[in-house]
Amino acid sequence: MNKLDSELAAGQLEAAGFVPARDEESACLVLLNTCSVRAKAQDKATSVLSDYTQDERARNGHRLVGVMGCVAQQMKERLLTAPYHADFVLGTGNISQLREILERLLAGERGILAYEPECSGWDYDPSTVRRKSLRSAFVAVSRGCSNLCSYCIVPYVRGTIRHREPKSIIEEVKLLTETGCIDVCLLGQNVNAYRYDGVEFVHLLERLAHIDGMRRLRFITTHPKDLCLDTVKMMAHPPFAPYISMPLQSGSDRVLCLMNRGYTKEEYMEKVCWLREHVEGCFISSDIMVGFPGETDADFEDTLQVVRLAQFDNVYSFIYSPRPFTKAAGFGNEVEREVVKARFERLLALQRENNTKRLRPFVRKTVEVLVDGMSRKDRSACCGRSPQNIIVNLPDDRCEIGELVLAEITKAGIHSLVGKVTKRLMPAPAPKP
Ligand code: 5AD
Ligand code: SF4
C-alpha cells in the first residue's frame, strides 16, 4: 500500500511540474513516505526527517520537506514543530490533495497539515499514477482495516475499511491493460473482506479475470479468516498467479485469541490444505510474529509446528513491537528480550531450511520472468519476478524493465533464484507519449 501511495504522490508531483531529482543533493523537495507498523520503522522515519530538516536544510535553505504515510497520520501537527520541522504533513487519505498543497507551498505557505481521518482516498485520476513499469501495477480495492488485531496500529492510522466501487476498479484495470500492463496486484489491508453493494471479493475477481491482456492477477494481503473456498478454486486458473500472502502471526490458539485474529491453527491449516490441493505449485508466504505479550515456550513451539506442517514457501518474521493505541500495548507480560531473540533465530533457521527446500526444485527448470528492476547486489544486472512472485536474478542478461522473458534457472538461493534468459516473450511496452 505504501508503494502504491508513493506512486500516487509521484504522479501528483509530476502533474504539478516536478521532475525526479538526479540525486538527493539536488532535490528541491523531499517527501518521505512512512510506515509505523513497528516502532523501528517509525523511529527511522523521524530520524531521517530530522536529518533532512536540520543538517540538510542548513546547507540547502530552499528545500521543502514533507511527510506522508502512517507516521504522518499518527503524529500529525507534532511533525510541523521542533525537533522535526516538516513543511507539510499529508495524512494517509489525503494524497490527492498534494497538488493543491504544492501550490500553497510554492506561494510561500509553510506548516501545512492535510489530515482528514477516514477520507476515502479514491478521488484520484488513475492515469496520473507514476508507475515504475507499465507492465505491473498495484490497484487498491479497499483502504483501512476494521479487524482490530490487538497488536496492530493500522486501523488507527489508516482508518476503518472503505471499499472501492467495483466499476472504478474495473475501469482502472482495463485502462492499465490497454497500455500494456499484464501483472496486477490488488491491494487491501484485508483484501478478502472486500464487499461493495453485494459484490463480494470473489465476484470482483471473476470480473477482473476476464479482462483482455491480463496475465498475472494477484492480491495481498489475505486474512485467513476471510479466505473462502470459492476464491481458492478461482485461483487455480489463469490469469491468477500461484501466489498468496496469508499471515499466520502465531501457531498457538491461545496467542491467536489474544491477538484477536479470529481463527485457530486448525482453521488456518485447513486453508493451507485448500491452497495446496486446488492451486498447483502455489507459493504461500506468511507473516509471523515472535514475542507477543505472554508468549510461552509452548506457544512458540506451536508456531514452529505449524511452520513445519504448512511448509511455507516464504516467511516474513517480526519481533513484536508495542504500538500506541493498540490493546496489546496494555497487556504487560513482556517476554524477556533474550528469549525473544533466541526464538526469532530458531524461526529464521527453520524457515531458511524450508525456503531452500522450496526453491531447489526450480534449478534447470524454465520459468517466466517479468523484469522489474536492477539486482540489489549488481546494479548492472537485471532481475524480475516469476509467476510465484519469486525474485529471479539475471546477472548475464541485459533486459529492460517491463520485458517478459523465459529463463532457465541455474541456481537457487534462500530467497531468490538465478537464471539465464532463453527466450524473449514480450518487449518492454512503449512509454506513454
Ligand atoms: N509488532 C511486530 N510486528 C507487527 N506486525 C504488525 N503489527 C506489528 C507489531 N506491533 C507485522 C504483522 C503483519 C506485518 C505487516 O507486520 O506480522 O502481518
Ligand atoms: Fe492490522 Fe489485523 Fe488489519 Fe492486518 S488484519 S492490518 S494485522 S488489524
Side-chain angles (χ1 to χ4, degrees):
M1 199 62 92
N2 272 7
K3 283 189 183 176
L4 171 63
D5 285 350
S6 291
E7 294 174 345
L8 288 167
Q12 297 277 311
L13 285 162
E14 277 200 346
F18 286 80
V19 290
R22 252 176 296 115
D23 48 44
E24 280 186 35
E25 286 295 302
S26 59
C28 64
L29 181 143
V30 173
L31 177 51
L32 298 173
N33 194 1
T34 59
C35 168
S36 63
V37 81
R38 281 169 291 279
K40 215 170 161 186
Q42 181 181 352
D43 294 347
K44 190 172 161 193
T46 49
S47 123
V48 172
L49 172 64
S50 302
D51 285 352
Y52 273 115
T53 54
Q54 287 162 21
D55 311 346
E56 301 245 342
R57 193 173 280 161
R59 277 188 273 147
N60 179 348
H62 304 297
R63 174 179 288 160
L64 293 165
V65 183
V67 190
M68 60 185 275
C70 295
V71 177
Q73 187 84 15
Q74 186 192 333
M75 295 178 69
K76 301 190 255 315
E77 60 276 347
R78 271 196 287 155
L79 293 171
L80 296 172
T81 55
Y84 309 112
H85 300 292
D87 294 308
F88 64 105
V89 172
L90 197 61
T92 46
N94 303 75
I95 303 169
S96 57
Q97 286 162 28
L98 178 56
R99 238 184 121 168
E100 173 209 315
I101 290 168
L102 292 169
E103 277 166 26
R104 286 165 59 189
L105 289 164
L106 293 176
E109 203 179 329
R110 298 290 182 268
I112 303 172
L113 172 68
Y115 159 72
E116 282 162 33
E118 311 274 309
C119 195
S120 82
W122 305 131
D123 50 344
Y124 66 90
D125 172 2
S127 65
T128 60
V129 186
R130 188 179 185 278
R131 298 194 154 94
K132 189 164 99 179
S133 158
L134 288 177
R135 285 269 185 248
S136 303
F138 290 118
V139 173
V141 302
S142 60
R143 281 187 175 270
C145 186
S146 300
N147 276 342
L148 299 178
C149 299
S150 63
Y151 51 81
C152 183
I153 196 173
V154 167
Y156 306 95
V157 286
R158 285 195 173 267
T160 49
I161 193 163
R162 284 97 62 205
H163 308 275
R164 185 176 174 191
E165 200 184 347
K167 190 167 154 273
S168 152
I169 301 169
I170 293 163
E171 272 169 15
E172 180 170 5
V173 173
K174 277 190 179 152
L175 188 80
L176 286 163
T177 51
E178 279 160 18
T179 46
C181 179
I182 54 172
D183 170 38
V184 169
C185 181
L186 306 175
L187 299 180
Q189 243 74 47
N190 171 6
V191 78
N192 307 78
Y194 176 85
R195 54 183 51 86
Y196 191 103
D197 269 356
V199 178
E200 308 241 334
F201 187 57
V202 67
H203 305 136
L204 178 72
L205 290 181
E206 199 166 9
R207 294 194 199 173
L208 294 172
H210 287 105
I211 295 177
D212 275 351
M214 180 76 73
R215 196 161 174 131
R216 293 184 184 178
L217 186 53
R218 284 178 292 138
F219 46 88
I220 53 174
T221 293
T222 288
H223 194 303
K225 78 176 165 53
D226 292 311
L227 177 69
C228 64
L229 187 56
D230 286 345
T231 299
V232 173
K233 285 184 176 167
M234 189 164 292
M235 284 177 68
H237 307 285
F240 289 95
Y243 170 83
I244 196 161
S245 157
M246 185 167 72
L248 167 70
Q249 309 300 6
S250 168
S252 149
D253 288 342
R254 195 185 71 83
V255 173
L256 285 170
C257 182
L258 287 170
M259 286 178 165
N260 192 30
R261 288 290 287 173
Y263 54 85
T264 60
K265 65 179 171 195
E266 273 78 11
E267 283 160 346
Y268 184 92
M269 277 312 298
E270 188 187 7
K271 313 251 160 151
V272 170
C273 292
W274 290 353
L275 288 157
R276 298 271 184 238
E277 185 185 336
H278 294 281
V279 190
E280 203 192 328
C282 185
F283 247 55
I284 306 180
S285 173
S286 197
D287 293 359
I288 294 176
M289 211 181 296
V290 175
F292 186 80
E295 181 189 68
T296 62
D297 282 338
D299 293 322
F300 179 65
E301 290 303 327
D302 282 351
T303 298
L304 293 184
Q305 192 208 11
V306 178
V307 172
R308 278 186 212 106
L309 271 175
Q311 289 283 306
F312 293 123
D313 299 283
N314 195 24
V315 165
Y316 293 98
S317 4
F318 306 102
I319 289 180
Y320 168 75
S321 157
R323 303 308 291 131
F325 321 120
T326 63
K327 208 167 160 195
F331 283 177
N333 230 346
E334 207 176 303
V335 186
E336 240 175 274
R337 223 184 140 63
E338 289 311 308
V339 174
V340 176
K341 269 187 164 169
R343 287 181 191 162
F344 188 69
E345 288 305 323
R346 279 185 69 199
L347 175 62
L348 286 186
L350 174 60
Q351 189 51 40
R352 230 176 275 134
E353 264 174 50
N354 276 353
N355 276 23
T356 314
K357 261 192 255 162
R358 309 297 294 170
L359 291 189
R360 209 181 291 134
F362 282 89
V363 177
R364 282 189 288 281
K365 298 258 164 55
T366 297
V367 303
E368 185 195 88
V369 183
L370 180 56
V371 177
D372 65 1
M374 297 303 142
S375 148
R376 251 196 225 177
K377 283 187 192 144
D378 173 4
R379 286 271 151 211
S380 66
C382 54
C383 64
R385 300 259 173 183
S386 76
Q388 299 87 350
N389 213 31
I390 309 168
I391 296 171
V392 184
N393 289 302
L394 303 167
D396 301 325
D397 295 288
R398 294 287 163 267
C399 304
E400 274 185 72
I401 292 179
E403 248 188 286
L404 186 72
V405 299
L406 287 182
E408 188 183 314
I409 301 305
T410 52
K411 227 163 88 182
I414 299 169
H415 298 290
S416 60
L417 300 169
V418 178
K420 171 100 200 73
V421 173
T422 52
K423 193 171 178 186
R424 297 190 185 246
L425 297 176
M426 275 187 197
K432 281 187 249 179

